[in-house]
Amino acid sequence: MQTTGSSATSSDEKPDFNSWVVAVWQVVQDIPRGCVLTYGEVARLAGSGGSPRRVSQALRQAPTGMKLPWHRVINSQGKISFPAGSQGYRQQKTRLEKEGVVFLNGRTNLQQFGYSGAIDRLLWGESV
DNA sequence: TAATTGACCGATC
DNA sequence: AGATCGGCCAATT
């Protein structure tokens, strides 16, 4: 039952990159409201076999019916990765601000709205 | 089949 | 602070 090559594990199933994509979806789905995560962090949390660039691709491939909180994923600079002024940019920024995420000069404070910031808030309360 | 693209990242200048 | 560069690797052209 050697696959003699690549993929086609069962019938028409794609390579295990597909399962990594699913892992990415699960990670993103698990991002708490009002928090953000960088593409790099999502890639790392989803396990080995992927890279930050692949995360963006996974998000684009995600079915709309899944209602994935894709807007909680931003780049390592704390900025939205859509072209400034584009429709996607505005939608993402609007959704995040609606959740309490603050933008200063078009970028968020990762120390405050990242997972570390979320933990700090749980420990220290709103006084951070 | 080869070349290009991309919701990125880190180092470097 | 902002711009550039190489690496990453599946999907698209």
Side-chain angles (χ1 to χ4, degrees):
Chain A
M1 54 179 294
Q2 49 309 89
T3 45
T4 1
S6 58
S7 66
T9 49
S10 293
S11 44
D12 54 352
E13 196 74 19
K14 294 193 173 183
D16 43 9
F17 173 68
N18 196 306
S19 61
W20 185 83
V21 168
V22 174
V24 168
W25 291 343
Q26 291 174 342
V27 169
V28 174
Q29 188 72 56
D30 198 33
I31 301 176
R33 187 179 182 282
C35 283
V36 295
L37 220 53
T38 70
Y39 293 92
E41 284 295 321
V42 173
R44 198 157 58 86
L45 291 172
S48 59
S51 65
R53 266 196 191 269
R54 306 277 70 77
V55 172
S56 61
Q57 189 162 9
L59 292 182
R60 174 178 286 185
Q61 290 176 7
T64 56
M66 165 177 290
K67 291 177 181 171
L68 205 65
W70 55 268
H71 56 279
R72 295 181 188 147
V73 184
I74 60 180
N75 64 33
S76 65
Q77 302 177 358
K79 299 199 225 169
I80 290 173
S81 287
F82 284 111
S86 67
Q87 189 174 7
Y89 181 95
R90 279 196 297 267
Q91 188 176 17
Q92 184 166 13
K93 185 168 182 286
T94 300
R95 287 199 190 192
L96 286 176
E97 287 178 334
K98 196 174 178 181
E99 296 184 355
V101 177
V102 179
F103 282 82
L104 294 177
N105 276 342
R107 94 185 147 195
T108 73
N109 188 336
L110 290 176
Q111 298 287 326
Q112 186 173 4
F113 298 106
Y115 264 32
S116 301
I119 293 173
D120 285 345
R121 252 174 301 175
L122 288 174
L123 294 177
W124 295 85
E126 302 293 333
S127 55
V128 213

